[in-house]
Amino acid sequence: MQTTPKTAKDISFEEFQSEILSDYKIAVTSRECSLLGRREVLTGKAKFGIFGDGKEVPQLAWAKVFQNGDFRSGYYRDQTFMMAIGELSIQQFFAGLYGDPDINHDPMSAGRQMGGHFGTHSLDEKGEWKNLLKQKNSSADISPTAGQMPRLLGLAQASKIYRNVEGINASNFSDKGNEVAWGTIGNASTSEGLFFETINAAGVLQVPMVISVWDDEYGISVHAKHQTTKENISEILKGFQRDDKAKGYEILKVKGWDYVALIETYQKASKIAREEHVPVLIHVVELTQPQGHSTSGSHERYKSKKRLDWETERDCIRKMREWIIGNGISTELELDAIEKAIKKNVRDGKKAAWEAYQNPIKEEQQQATQLINNLANTSVNKAFIERLAFELSDVFEPTRKDIASAVRKSLRYVISENSTEKNAIQNWIQEYLERVQPKYSSHLFSQSKKSALYVKEVLPTYDTSPEDVDGRLVLRNNFDAIFKKYPKTLIFGEDTGAIGDVNQGLEGLQEKYGELRVADTGIREATILGQGIGMAMRGLRPIAEIQYLDYILYALQIMSDDLATLHYRTHGKQKAPLIVRTRGHRLEGIWHSGSQLGGILNLIRGMHVLVPRNMTKAAGFYNTLLEGDDPALIVECLNGYRLKEKLPNNLGEFKTPIGVVETVKNGNDITLVSYGSTLRIVRQAANELLEVGIDAEVIDAQSLLPFDLNHDTVKSVAKTNRLMVIDEDVPGGASAYLLNEILERQNAYQYLDSQPKTLTARAHRPAYGTDGDYFSKPSVEDVFENVYAMMHEVDPKKYPKF
């Protein structure tokens, strides 16, 4: 199905005709898939449909200039393009619509995303990088509007890095930075801040990025007059147009039904972006949406008859058909025959996809029905169990939910019975759930040998008389070692470059490694994250710096919806091992309080969240992550950069293990768990508690996601029989998460002699100043008194009330 563009100036009429008709066949095939796909949703075989009808012809033109090594970062209307580059067949289209969890049937996401969300495979079966230069690449789509834009920036910046930074082994990833990153977005979504942030950043960075705006004048039911100033995105972006005096964009505008003009426009855009590394915006206007926004409603509700008639006349496939006939390339009869054959091909492909999806489920249905019937024959509740078997067998188009539900319910009727048949059905359902569950849950994190969880701890080593230095120097010198060891590593963020970050953890490194590897950015957190995601997807090892933990909120949607879900939503076929660096903890003032970890933890599952207590531990985490392939967030202690630490002599080599706690003080009376800067307060309180005869054990969590894979905390609780979790997050935040991990996942409840407690910050963010910090977050006195109160309950005589 892939297009085969001719690059020679002189080709025969037969070759010209063949290419045009090949394009037409792809466009009609895509349209028929959209039409039949909508019917599949309305008849109940699929849950929801959002299709690319009306955008077919411009996507054909785009596909002609899309080269091996290029990347797409699009939205859910690009099915024609994916068909044109040979990465989406009819059967795969419908497999995605049905949510088939077999990656061989639905290579886009193995049923994890709704149809219309496309991606190619960057990783092989072992999780190793494929040669991305030998294939046309699509980064995995997400639904949030404009959410694909920040990632697009990073995909384009990777070409700039590969072209301009010496010493990088670009094998499999780049041919001298000649790759273009192509983005697509609907006209209404250009109202999103992420679009404007990306537009500005790409103009500053001057990267090979081409954005196509598919403009059909609507955003669901809302007309462009409510969306865009002047109802025209290219008009209001004219200030970005480059000229002889200043760098900027090349802005192009073209009608979406004009096949010839579209080809010329995309060829021009490709040349400019690929050769000059100049971003290009293509405003594709006069497009239509023949079936409306999606299967959730009809566009007849909000479009006038005049508009609907206009859309019929301006339909891009209709206009292409008229052009083909008008220029003598084919006849109406020939095109009729082509269209008839395509309708059959699409119906056949749909049928094949449905059968491939249903056949294994029907086999499971038969097995389960037989097992339930067998169980019924041995039970006093035969009639009830047989009814379950009959109802299951009677489901014409079964789901795995139907099967699992029926089998599990059947066991309720034999709770007090024992039989071989009961054992058989118990074993079957256990095996079934173990086999089926991963189809929907696997690959949240890397399952390859490169997983950061497999990186072994390497302790820091020291000279005989190690130098005591500010913690920032441990970090700085370790980053220096990292940049020497890993040429693909780079770091960027606000104030990261020239001044070496606000706390001098990168002091002097820009001068040493250049402005592209240690770079300043504007104040634009979402696209800082996007830069990192895109570059990581192209084989680089970026560290995206967000100046403070509070500012993560600006980028949290990108982290949550894109970065954290990437490996999962591609069934392990794409990865972005981005390290997000930030700083927080024990700060003074509402906007620098660093107290959002509870929310962050629950929004970025799929990333590691690491909370080192000092800079040596932090440096070790960076070293560990660079040997792994998972994304992570590292929160450095802001009030620790000037505290003295001993300078290791194995910089760049020592490694802090992920998912491992550390007992920093042994004790027998109570287990205290904390992390980050608060741990220093807990340790001080633990020392003061010794004065009143309370010997607390103090555990540094170090890693929140994941937490304590070795279950060392429960071993401590088994010894002390008491537990308190202390942190500076709000009540119900990270401390509640840790309590859940310890009590439920590690089953520590069985060893408790006292009620477990959490000690957190107040529900508000901290007030400003030293007193604001003291009265807003746990203090040494708070820890001391709360622990003492627990011990008073245990032994009022030994620990009389204050």
Side-chain angles (χ1 to χ4, degrees):
M1 190 176 283
Q2 184 174 350
T3 57
T4 311
K6 302 293 182 181
T7 56
K9 292 183 179 179
D10 298 314
I11 61 174
S12 67
F13 175 77
E14 288 75 16
E15 290 175 315
F16 172 72
Q17 180 187 49
S18 176
E19 183 173 341
I20 301 304
L21 292 181
S22 175
D23 281 353
Y24 186 71
K25 290 174 183 176
I26 294 169
V28 173
T29 298
S30 178
R31 177 66 61 86
E32 286 299 318
C33 285
S34 295
L35 295 172
L36 190 52
R38 182 180 181 85
R39 288 199 287 272
E40 291 298 278
V41 174
L42 297 180
T43 58
K45 283 188 175 180
K47 292 291 185 181
F48 180 76
I50 194 159
F51 306 111
D53 46 307
K55 317 299 187 288
E56 293 91 352
V57 174
Q59 292 180 26
L60 293 172
W62 167 26
K64 289 180 181 298
V65 296
F66 193 90
Q67 298 182 10
N68 285 351
D70 284 0
F71 260 87
R72 166 190 168 273
S73 181
Y75 90 133
Y76 37 75
R77 304 287 186 193
D78 295 344
Q79 71 196 46
T80 308
F81 169 79
M82 294 298 291
M83 289 178 173
I85 65 170
E87 291 294 337
L88 180 67
S89 69
I90 295 169
Q91 189 167 337
Q92 290 168 347
F93 172 90
F94 284 100
L97 188 65
Y98 299 141
D100 192 327
D102 189 327
I103 190 68
N104 297 307
H105 298 165
D106 172 25
M108 304 301 141
S109 74
R112 296 181 178 191
Q113 297 207 92
M114 71 177 77
H117 293 68
F118 306 113
T120 53
H121 294 185
S122 299
L123 307 177
D124 62 19
E125 296 302 319
K126 296 180 180 179
E128 300 283 351
W129 289 108
K130 298 171 67 178
N131 189 337
L132 304 186
L133 290 174
K134 291 186 176 181
Q135 63 183 43
K136 294 177 170 65
N137 304 286
S138 174
S139 59
D141 294 338
I142 57 175
S143 285
T145 53
Q148 72 275 24
M149 290 290 103
R151 178 203 328 140
L152 172 65
L153 177 66
L155 291 169
Q157 189 182 2
S159 290
K160 181 173 183 176
I161 297 298
Y162 281 123
R163 179 174 286 186
N164 295 289
V165 175
E166 296 180 358
I168 297 178
N169 180 2
S171 300
N172 296 348
F173 298 107
S174 181
D175 177 18
K176 300 175 183 177
N178 291 325
E179 303 77 28
V180 174
W182 302 82
T184 64
I185 189 169
N187 57 295
S189 296
T190 63
S191 300
E192 294 277 13
L194 293 176
F195 172 79
F196 282 97
E197 188 172 320
T198 302
I199 287 287
N200 181 59
V204 171
L205 291 171
Q206 290 291 285
V207 291
M209 179 179 93
V210 181
I211 297 178
S212 297
V213 179
W214 307 139
D215 192 345
D216 56 31
E217 295 188 21
Y218 283 85
I220 307 184
S221 67
V222 180
H223 190 267
K225 66 184 179 183
H226 302 296
Q227 305 273 4
T228 309
T229 303
K230 299 183 179 181
E231 301 180 32
N232 191 321
I233 190 64
S234 58
E235 180 69 21
I236 64 173
L237 290 178
K238 277 185 176 179
F240 285 87
Q241 175 65 51
R242 62 177 180 159
D243 54 34
D244 294 337
K245 297 180 181 179
K247 296 177 180 179
Y249 274 73
E250 189 67 30
I251 299 177
L252 308 172
K253 190 174 182 179
V254 62
K255 291 181 173 64
W257 49 263
D258 191 334
Y259 178 68
V260 175
L262 284 161
I263 291 173
E264 292 172 351
T265 300
Y266 276 91
Q267 287 176 341
K268 180 179 180 180
S270 177
K271 182 177 176 63
I272 291 170
R274 203 175 302 279
E275 296 179 5
E276 301 178 48
H277 274 202
V278 168
V280 182
L281 183 135
I282 305 176
H283 188 190
V284 186
V285 298
E286 295 192 20
L287 287 171
T288 67
Q289 205 150 272
Q291 298 187 111
H293 173 263
S294 68
T295 55
S296 62
S298 171
H299 62 156
E300 283 84 358
R301 291 183 301 164
Y302 53 85
K303 290 179 182 175
S304 68
K305 184 178 184 303
K306 182 179 179 181
R307 173 67 192 189
L308 292 169
D309 291 343
W310 181 92
E311 290 198 6
T312 300
E313 290 295 322
R314 287 294 190 279
D315 184 283
C316 63
I317 295 181
R318 176 174 179 164
K319 299 291 284 185
M320 185 179 182
R321 193 181 202 273
E322 292 172 355
W323 178 81
I324 289 172
I325 295 170
N327 284 276
I329 297 168
S330 188
T331 67
E332 190 168 350
L333 286 175
E334 289 169 342
L335 295 181
D336 287 344
I338 287 172
E339 292 162 8
K340 183 178 180 181
I342 287 172
K343 287 178 185 289
K344 182 180 185 304
N345 289 341
V346 172
R347 288 196 303 270
D348 291 345
K350 178 206 68 111
K351 181 180 178 183
W354 181 251
E355 289 177 350
Y357 169 54
Q358 277 283 286
N359 286 344
I361 298 178
K362 287 188 173 182
E363 290 179 9
E364 295 163 8
Q365 178 191 33
Q366 291 173 359
Q367 293 172 7
T369 301
Q370 185 61 56
L371 285 166
I372 296 172
N373 276 322
N374 292 345
L375 182 67
N377 290 331
T378 64
S379 174
V380 296
N381 291 313
K382 179 179 181 180
F384 298 102
I385 300 173
E386 280 184 333
R387 182 172 180 80
L388 284 174
F390 172 77
E391 289 174 347
L392 177 59
S393 65
D394 197 46
V395 179
F396 182 64
E397 293 172 344
T399 65
R400 289 191 166 97
K401 173 189 173 183
D402 297 325
I403 296 166
S405 178
V407 175
R408 295 167 79 177
K409 284 180 179 178
S410 71
L411 289 171
R412 299 177 187 178
Y413 294 104
V414 292
I415 291 174
S416 301
E417 300 177 17
N418 291 304
S419 66
T420 303
E421 289 75 13
K422 178 181 177 180
N423 292 337
I425 209 165
Q426 287 175 326
N427 292 335
W428 189 89
I429 192 61
Q430 181 178 347
E431 184 276 334
Y432 185 71
L433 293 175
E434 289 175 354
R435 176 170 56 83
V436 169
Q437 184 66 48
K439 293 179 182 292
Y440 309 95
S441 304
S442 68
H443 294 94
L444 182 60
F445 292 97
S446 172
Q447 295 181 197
S448 77
K449 293 180 180 179
K450 291 185 178 294
S451 167
L453 299 180
Y454 295 144
V455 178
K456 301 296 184 184
E457 180 178 19
V458 176
L459 293 172
T461 58
Y462 300 92
D463 295 334
T464 304
S465 299
E467 183 181 0
D468 284 326
V469 298
D470 288 348
R472 73 173 186 89
L473 294 177
V474 176
L475 265 183
R476 185 200 65 181
N477 294 355
N478 193 75
F479 277 129
D480 189 8
I482 282 172
F483 292 137
K484 287 177 185 175
K485 183 177 181 180
Y486 302 104
K488 289 185 177 181
T489 301
L490 58 155
I491 190 167
F492 46 91
E494 300 158 18
D495 300 305
T496 297
I499 69 168
D501 86 40
V502 290
N503 298 102
Q504 266 91 60
L506 296 163
E507 181 187 25
L509 296 185
Q510 184 183 79
E511 184 177 353
K512 187 171 185 179
Y513 294 101
E515 293 184 3
L516 289 177
R517 290 192 69 192
V518 183
D520 284 310
T521 69
I523 300 176
R524 47 174 183 78
E525 286 79 11
T527 45
I528 291 172
L529 253 294
Q531 286 176 250
I533 295 170
M535 286 193 281
M537 293 184 77
R538 292 191 59 192
L540 295 169
R541 293 308 309 264
I543 302 172
E545 180 172 319
I546 304 298
Q547 196 161 89
Y548 298 109
L549 183 62
D550 302 70
Y551 302 170
I552 286 283
L553 299 183
Y554 285 94
L556 193 53
Q557 185 262 319
I558 300 301
M559 292 175 68
S560 179
D561 291 329
D562 198 356
L563 180 58
T565 68
L566 176 65
H567 202 58
Y568 165 78
R569 74 179 189 269
T570 62
H571 198 267
K573 297 305 180 183
Q574 291 185 8
K575 65 180 177 182
L578 169 64
I579 300 173
V580 182
R581 179 195 185 204
T582 191
R583 49 189 67 82
H585 303 313
R586 302 310 300 193
L587 309 183
E588 300 170 355
I590 292 175
W591 309 122
H592 299 81
S593 62
S595 59
Q596 306 86 19
L597 272 170
I600 291 170
L601 281 172
N602 290 301
L603 287 170
I604 63 171
R605 300 298 175 103
M607 294 179 64
H608 297 312
V609 177
L610 310 174
V611 284
R613 68 179 181 268
N614 59 38
M615 301 310 156
T616 303
K617 290 288 185 179
F621 277 135
Y622 289 110
N623 298 338
T624 297
L625 290 167
L626 286 168
E627 287 201 4
D629 64 353
D630 281 315
L633 169 67
I634 298 180
V635 185
E636 298 168 9
C637 296
L638 184 62
N639 59 2
Y641 293 107
R642 302 294 172 180
L643 297 180
K644 298 299 182 182
E645 299 183 33
K646 297 188 182 304
L647 183 65
N649 59 19
N650 59 339
L651 294 163
E653 301 300 328
F654 62 89
K655 298 173 182 67
T656 308
I658 293 173
V660 178
V661 302
E662 181 178 354
T663 301
V664 295
K665 179 189 175 300
N666 291 308
N668 298 301
D669 294 327
I670 186 171
T671 299
L672 305 180
V673 179
S674 191
Y675 59 87
S677 294
T678 304
L679 189 80
R680 289 198 288 272
I681 288 171
V682 173
R683 292 178 78 174
Q684 182 179 341
N687 289 334
E688 294 180 9
L689 284 164
L690 288 172
E691 298 172 6
V692 293
I694 299 173
D695 189 10
E697 185 146 291
V698 180
I699 292 178
D700 180 3
Q702 298 196 108
S703 169
L704 298 181
L705 285 179
F707 170 72
D708 192 8
L709 296 174
N710 297 328
H711 289 194
D712 290 325
T713 307
V714 69
K715 299 169 189 173
S716 173
V717 175
K719 177 176 63 172
T720 67
N721 309 120
R722 276 167 285 279
L723 172 67
M724 182 180 291
V725 179
I726 307 101
D727 83 332
E728 61 184 271
D729 199 7
V730 295
S735 59
Y737 158 78
L738 288 171
L739 200 64
N740 176 77
E741 288 283 312
I742 298 165
L743 296 186
E744 292 192 31
R745 193 175 295 272
Q746 298 189 16
N747 293 319
Y749 69 89
Q750 60 190 314
Y751 301 110
L752 291 174
D753 291 338
S754 299
Q755 178 185 348
K757 299 277 185 156
T758 61
L759 178 59
T760 70
R762 301 288 180 174
H764 57 76
R765 294 199 187 179
Y768 177 66
T770 299
D771 287 344
D773 176 73
Y774 184 86
F775 289 101
S776 298
K777 295 183 176 182
S779 64
V780 172
E781 289 72 34
D782 291 331
V783 177
F784 184 101
E785 291 168 9
N786 276 269
V787 171
Y788 189 90
M790 285 183 71
M791 299 307 295
H792 167 72
E793 280 187 7
V794 175
D795 191 343
K797 286 188 175 181
K798 185 174 181 181
Y799 306 106
K801 197 170 184 177
F802 262 48

